[in-house]
């Protein structure tokens, strides 16, 4: 995994919000929401995380950055994700 991406994962806040996963060209490839950004986003990269979607193993090589938007609540994160 790219060291900059690893640093991003290490610095994620334990707050609710949305995350935008972008490829190396800056295009958004996935948007999600979380009650805890730190816990949820890290699950994508933990071995044996239990997520068997086909794209999950490809993320570490595909991603350039992960942007996060911290919200005040999970409800706010849901609304933001739909935007």
């Amino acid at each position: 995994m790219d060291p900059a991406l690893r640093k991003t994962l290490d610095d994620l806040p334990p707050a609710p919000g949305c995350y935008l996963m972008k490829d190396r060209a800056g295009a958004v490839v996935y948007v999600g929401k979380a009650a805890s950004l730190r816990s949820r986003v890290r699950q994508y990269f933990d071995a044996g995380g239990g997520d068997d979607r086909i794209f999950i193993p490809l993320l570490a090589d595909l991603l350039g950055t992960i942007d996060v938007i911290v919200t005040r609540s999970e409800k706010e994160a849901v609304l933001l994700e739909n935007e």
Side-chain angles (χ1 to χ4, degrees):
M1 177 182 302
D2 180 65
L5 186 56
R6 173 52 59 196
K7 173 131 178 56
T8 297
L9 293 176
D10 291 342
D11 293 343
L12 289 169
C18 289
Y19 52 93
L20 293 87
M21 296 183 174
K22 297 180 179 181
D23 65 14
R24 289 189 173 98
V28 175
V29 295
Y30 191 77
V31 175
K33 66 184 173 311
S36 168
L37 289 163
R38 174 177 287 247
S39 296
R40 179 63 186 120
V41 175
R42 285 176 163 208
Q43 285 177 343
Y44 288 103
F45 302 95
D46 290 340
D51 194 330
D52 59 356
R53 290 179 287 175
I54 192 115
F55 72 92
I56 299 300
L58 307 174
L59 285 177
D61 292 330
L62 173 72
L63 295 181
T65 62
I66 301 172
D67 294 341
V68 297
I69 302 167
V70 175
T71 60
R72 292 176 291 203
S73 67
E74 287 181 68
K75 183 177 180 179
E76 201 174 277
V78 169
L79 295 171
L80 182 59
E81 180 190 34
N82 286 322
E83 288 296 317

